[in-house]
Amino acid sequence: MKRPILIGITGGTGSGKSTIANEIFNKFQEDCIAMIEQDAYYKDQSNLSMDERRKTNYDHPDAFDNDLMMEHLQTLIKREAIEKPIYDFAEHNRKNDTITVEPKDIIIVEGILVLSDERIRDLLDIKIYVDTDADVRIIRRLIRDINERGRTVDSVINQYLSVVRPMHMQFTEPTKRYADIIIPEGGQNKVAIDILVAKIKQILNQ
């Protein structure tokens, strides 16, 4: 069987990488494309108290269970289904439930640090970095975390200044050098999305 195409999409928090991923996803039939979000692979923290979970640095590579993510990607490449974790951002922990992901011709792998692990990076056929100005990214994160994750304005700002920004500069920004394509302005860049879709279709038809 033909090996699936693995597409890695990364960038800073609020860069628009999820929008890019969803735009690509929606350009194809659901029976040929699947989405793997790195956020689903935060480590299980059942052994920690809620207060300890809140103090976890979620923007550091150590926060992710890359071993499990790597195992799942290899399983999908072998055309076998996986049970993708579900992460509860309000509880700062994995849920007991999982989502079954069937193998597809196209696998999108999206997250802030998908290019930081060499093992995962080497599995990717196309590596994309979404490059968006920091002021735009913090505004997007502020809106998302308040509306979707139950955070306060102060908590989002404090977390951004103390953790998110320094971790971005240390770990996410440097992975830009591994990218095959750098897309400015995220999901607003319709030309870049159309070019990517055309390239993916070309590979599929080979």
Side-chain angles (χ1 to χ4, degrees), residues 37-164:
E37 304 90 349
Q38 190 179 29
D39 282 358
Y41 290 85
Y42 279 121
K43 290 178 178 175
D44 183 80
Q45 300 193 110
S46 301
N47 60 319
L48 301 179
S49 68
M50 177 59 82
D51 190 51
E52 289 172 320
R53 293 178 205 167
R54 290 194 185 102
K55 294 176 182 177
T56 297
N57 183 349
Y58 293 98
D59 292 83
H60 193 282
D62 289 346
F64 296 98
D65 189 347
N66 281 344
D67 290 341
L68 179 60
M69 190 175 186
M70 181 70 181
E71 178 187 326
H72 280 183
L73 291 176
Q74 290 174 323
T75 300
L76 288 169
I77 287 172
K78 291 187 291 186
R79 295 286 182 170
E80 298 172 5
I82 64 166
E83 293 299 322
K84 183 174 69 174
I86 301 173
Y87 201 80
D88 188 328
F89 289 94
E91 294 295 323
H92 302 281
N93 202 15
R94 278 187 199 165
K95 293 185 176 182
N96 293 326
D97 298 330
T98 59
I99 296 175
T100 301
V101 179
E102 300 290 342
K104 306 289 184 179
D105 292 334
I106 306 166
I107 310 292
I108 295 177
V109 187
E110 178 267 319
I112 61 171
L113 292 169
V114 296
L115 298 186
S116 68
D117 190 310
E118 184 178 5
R119 299 171 302 163
I120 294 173
R121 197 165 64 234
D122 287 346
L123 291 179
L124 302 173
D125 300 290
I126 301 174
K127 298 178 284 291
I128 300 164
Y129 188 97
V130 184
D131 198 13
T132 304
D133 290 342
D135 56 346
V136 175
R137 292 192 292 105
I138 178 56
I139 291 170
R140 288 176 179 169
R141 182 182 178 108
L142 189 67
I143 293 170
R144 181 201 68 189
D145 282 5
I146 291 171
N147 292 340
E148 299 178 17
R149 300 184 179 176
R151 311 286 166 77
T152 65
V153 173
D154 286 345
S155 71
V156 176
I157 292 174
N158 289 337
Q159 185 183 36
Y160 181 83
L161 293 176
S162 64
V163 177
V164 177

